Amino acid sequence: MGRRAASSVVAAGSGDAQQLEPGAASPLRSLLGGPALVAAAVGVLGVVAAFCSQAGSVRQEGSAPAQPPPLQPHSAAARPDAGSSTAAAGVVPPMPEGLQTNWECAALCAAMTDGDKAVVERTLLQAGCDPENPGDHVLCASTPEQICVGACGSGQQDMTKFLPGAFGPAGPRPAELIGKLEAAYAEYWHCADECTRDGVLVDAAAVDAEAQALGMLKRCGVVQLKGGYDAELLGRVQRAIDTIAEKKSAYNKLVDRKQLHDGRFQVYLPFRAPFAERAAIGVSDLVFRVLEGYFDGRGFGIDHVSVLTSSSPSGNQSLHPDVPYFKGLTVSVHTALVDVTTEMGPTYFCPCTGEALRREDWPGSAAIKMTILKHKACFGPSFAPSFTSKGTVTIYDGAMFHQGLANGSGKNRPVLKLEVGAEGFPERRNYIQMAPSAGKKQTRLFREALGPPRMGAPLRDGRSSGGG
């Protein structure tokens, strides 16, 4: 409705690469450097709420379907062996329905004028989102471009009237749309196909484990480090976890059944030995170096840590990213506390998905994200590990689409769940707003000790980076 034809859509602007730089004291800035935006799912963009809420953090997921979501013919099976794919190597299938429309929306949204951004910001501020608490709603910390592409993709807004700078007759009309779209789609497909076929498992004992793991995390969005957690330490940590469970009064204060669904629950860990050390919560020296390389010079620190359990029986989660923002802002570090088989419902990954921080890469990645949301399924190669051994550390970017599969094994599937965020992002995301008070208190203690710029590790000059 009111969306311009394909021939008149603008591709992402040229010029120097720009990327999001979240700050602890300011809202997430515009992808293209415009004014900050806070958002709410009411008012003129109310139609976007249901559409975009699927991209929210785990606490905002709806009930999972009774069966795994329908996958496109070119995706791997719902419970495949790592590295499986049904597409012939190197063959890129036709684009899925809706991808070109979403690309057109994203390309125009990338060309929003300052006036367009001001319109979006004013509208959403009037809707009542609190600039001091953008984590209060899934859309609150989104950029103008993200809100724009959601509104455009929903098809229920006359974008020529809402954002005339980009969508009106005076808007730009470059001619390279189709070529750029095809290139972005092919790049995504080859990336996902390679990660699915080759697998994402790295032996932590390998001489080049750090380089392998970092390269895989950057390309695929996920890596598994076999033997990434010291076996003796894991035994001590497991005994400490068991001790918490035995003390029912304290345990009940730390358990959280509100933020997770479909037979999942988590227990926030207390900030005391043995959990108060980085290695005990999944960050060995190897994992730390991989995280440091992935955040690439940006400060980073703990968001929260818990033991997440998928009970048996439990259903499939909905397909989702943990955060509806950009790659490189939050990373999950999950340590398997038991051997995980396919019957226990491993995590299913859609590699190479998630919105890109770089300006020129954003339209393609945003269009892929919106298309996955609409189809509620990966349309590229995808996988779930057939077996994950106890002590394996899985690291994945929170912006990548994934889902926990149904656990029908008769055994619970616990993982040590650590989330790490770029400096300032944990506070802005505010994941713990629905946590029990004891969980909030312990999380704040962890953040003070293992916060940015280097998760409590000494700075280059020998000073500690913890404590604020």
Side-chain angles (χ1 to χ4, degrees):
M1 296 177 64
R3 194 164 49 226
R4 224 192 281 150
S7 61
S8 61
V9 177
V10 59
S14 58
D16 295 336
Q18 301 181 33
Q19 65 181 36
L20 189 72
E21 298 177 359
S26 62
L28 295 180
R29 281 179 270 174
S30 165
L31 176 68
L32 305 183
L37 172 70
V38 291
V42 291
V44 71
L45 292 186
V47 294
V48 187
F51 184 58
C52 292
S53 63
Q54 299 171 71
S57 57
V58 174
R59 68 176 183 271
Q60 291 162 318
E61 295 162 26
S63 297
Q67 300 294 327
L71 301 176
Q72 298 300 316
H74 302 288
S75 298
R79 294 180 182 271
D81 292 336
S84 66
S85 175
T86 58
V91 177
V92 180
M95 288 185 287
E97 180 182 357
L99 181 62
Q100 181 169 335
T101 297
N102 287 324
W103 166 270
E104 295 168 5
C105 287
L108 275 174
C109 290
M112 291 171 67
T113 64
D114 288 344
D116 289 335
K117 295 173 187 177
V119 168
V120 174
E121 188 166 87
R122 280 197 309 272
T123 302
L124 299 175
L125 284 172
Q126 291 169 357
C129 194
D130 181 4
E132 299 302 319
N133 186 23
D136 187 54
H137 189 275
V138 63
L139 299 179
C140 289
S142 299
T143 66
E145 293 80 11
Q146 289 177 307
I147 298 299
C148 171
V149 78
C152 177
S154 72
Q156 298 181 45
Q157 292 294 321
D158 186 338
M159 300 300 290
T160 61
K161 294 180 179 178
F162 182 46
L163 301 175
F167 289 83
R173 289 175 167 80
E176 299 180 356
L177 172 67
I178 299 301
K180 291 194 174 190
L181 169 58
E182 291 174 346
Y185 173 59
E187 181 179 357
Y188 157 68
W189 180 270
H190 287 306
C191 177
D193 188 48
E194 176 184 305
C195 297
T196 299
R197 288 178 180 279
D198 296 344
V200 296
L201 190 66
V202 171
D203 186 345
V207 174
D208 61 345
E210 179 185 342
Q212 283 191 63
L214 180 57
M216 196 165 292
L217 181 59
K218 285 184 174 181
R219 178 159 176 76
C220 303
V222 57
V223 64
Q224 290 192 302
L225 287 168
K226 184 177 181 180
Y229 196 112
D230 178 76
E232 188 278 330
L233 176 59
L234 188 58
R236 288 194 289 117
V237 166
Q238 184 62 68
R239 289 191 292 273
I241 292 171
D242 293 340
T243 299
I244 294 173
E246 292 169 358
K247 299 179 179 179
K248 296 300 183 184
S249 178
Y251 173 87
N252 289 335
K253 292 179 180 179
L254 294 168
V255 70
D256 170 21
R257 299 181 185 274
K258 292 182 179 179
Q259 295 176 273
L260 304 170
H261 302 283
D262 311 307
R264 276 83 172 168
F265 67 92
Q266 63 185 339
V267 178
Y268 286 91
L269 293 181
F271 182 70
R272 64 169 185 256
F275 311 117
E277 299 179 7
R278 282 192 294 110
I281 57 175
V283 185
S284 63
D285 289 344
L286 171 59
V287 172
F288 176 79
R289 293 194 298 270
V290 172
L291 292 174
E292 191 172 36
Y294 192 67
F295 284 105
D296 195 23
R298 297 194 301 273
F300 64 97
I302 189 171
D303 185 318
H304 64 278
V305 61
S306 67
V307 174
L308 186 156
T309 300
S310 171
S311 303
S312 181
S314 63
N316 295 298
Q317 288 183 309
S318 56
L319 189 68
H320 66 280
D322 288 335
V323 294
Y325 310 123
F326 301 91
K327 292 187 286 188
L329 291 179
T330 187
V331 171
S332 289
V333 181
H334 287 188
T335 302
L337 297 178
V338 296
D339 290 342
V340 180
T341 64
T342 53
E343 293 75 21
M344 298 174 76
T347 302
Y348 174 86
F349 295 104
C350 303
C352 310
T353 57
E355 288 184 81
L357 281 164
R358 289 169 57 89
R359 168 180 176 166
E360 58 266 36
D361 298 333
W362 178 76
S365 65
I368 290 168
K369 171 182 175 178
M370 301 306 282
T371 305
I372 291 174
L373 284 172
K374 283 188 174 182
H375 285 266
K376 298 182 180 180
C378 303
F379 59 80
S382 43
F383 69 95
S386 60
F387 181 79
T388 300
S389 59
K390 179 179 178 179
T392 296
V393 178
T394 301
I395 309 172
Y396 67 89
D397 193 297
M400 182 182 63
F401 280 91
H402 61 280
Q403 69 177 135
L405 297 179
N407 182 357
S409 67
K411 302 175 183 178
N412 287 348
R413 176 175 61 83
V415 297
L416 181 58
K417 171 198 176 195
L418 169 69
E419 295 198 12
V420 179
E423 186 166 4
F425 188 70
E427 292 79 9
R428 194 139 298 280
R429 178 190 179 195
N430 198 15
Y431 176 85
I432 62 169
Q433 65 175 327
M434 295 177 64
S437 58
K440 291 178 181 178
K441 177 181 177 181
Q442 297 303 319
T443 297
R444 293 187 184 108
L445 293 174
F446 273 106
R447 289 179 180 178
E448 288 175 6
L450 302 177
R454 299 180 69 238
M455 204 174 175
L459 299 173
R460 304 301 183 188
D461 61 6
R463 293 181 292 112
S464 172
S465 69

